[in-house]
Amino acid sequence: QGFVHGEGTGWQGRVDLALPFSLVWAGREIKTFTATGDKPVVEGEPVLFEIWVCADGYWADHTKNLVIGELTPEYAELEARLLDIYAEALAAIRPGASMADLDRQIRERIAPTHPICHGVGARAHEPPYPHQAGGGEFAEGMVLAVEPGIYWPGGGGLRVEDNFLVTAGGVEKLSSFPDGVVQCQT
């Protein structure tokens, strides 16, 4: 929040109010839908930031990962697998594509998983909520938070998430921050 207020909230001179919210987990504390953890940051293990920003009543929903030093081999392998699945999900989202088919396709690759995606805009989480038991198709103009995640039994794992606009040709990423785990220098 200090950064937002330090930089100002005048995105292209049009934002009157922007408020950030975040949850943070480190290493084996990374789980789906839990309160912020209290595990320390450990070199080689990711730190996951769940970030929501509301600007003039419109929401963004992101999950970003940082690591001090190099990822451990276990996490590096998990990151590579997750980024492949993320790319597969993004390639499948296009106007007219089945939401149920996307959920089935991704869950075949990672089970159990975090929900694959949801709408974002007037709320950080809003319809559509693609699920194999539901119906519906993706439509041009939808804004989605795409967020597959893989978690190990007992804790730990990764999730990637960014916001995308559904266009006639597929999806357009709405953030310039890289996906995957970003290495920080000590």
Side-chain angles (χ1 to χ4, degrees), residues 13-181:
R14 297 185 293 205
V15 177
D16 292 324
L17 179 63
L19 297 172
F21 305 88
S22 64
L23 295 172
V24 180
W25 299 272
R28 293 293 177 172
E29 192 75 15
I30 296 173
K31 300 174 184 141
T32 183
F33 296 125
T34 59
T36 292
D38 63 357
K39 296 262 190 239
V41 173
V42 175
E43 188 170 339
E45 293 187 358
V47 178
L48 183 148
F49 296 84
E50 176 74 42
I51 305 164
W52 303 282
V53 175
C54 181
D56 285 349
Y58 294 94
W59 288 82
D61 183 9
H62 301 277
T63 299
K64 300 302 173 191
N65 300 276
L66 302 174
V67 66
I68 296 173
E70 297 283 331
L71 276 176
T72 65
E74 179 182 43
Y75 274 108
E77 181 180 317
L78 188 66
E79 177 193 27
R81 182 172 171 222
L82 182 58
L83 289 176
D84 284 345
I85 292 165
Y86 188 56
E88 182 181 323
L90 295 175
I93 299 172
R94 62 193 179 289
S98 165
M99 291 183 186
D101 286 351
L102 173 70
D103 188 68
R104 268 191 291 279
Q105 173 186 346
I106 300 305
R107 286 178 191 277
E108 285 175 3
R109 303 266 321 269
I110 50 175
T113 182
H114 196 82
I116 307 307
C117 69
H118 59 81
V120 62
R123 294 189 311 250
H125 290 173
E126 65 182 29
Y129 297 101
H131 191 272
Q132 58 193 319
E137 295 178 344
F138 294 103
E140 190 171 351
M142 287 181 168
V143 177
L144 304 170
V146 180
E147 60 174 334
I150 304 174
Y151 307 97
W152 292 308
L158 283 174
R159 180 169 72 249
V160 293
E161 178 182 25
D162 217 309
N163 296 169
F164 295 85
L165 172 65
V166 179
T167 69
V171 293
E172 176 187 335
K173 187 175 176 185
L174 300 176
S175 166
S176 60
F177 197 90
D179 293 315
V181 181

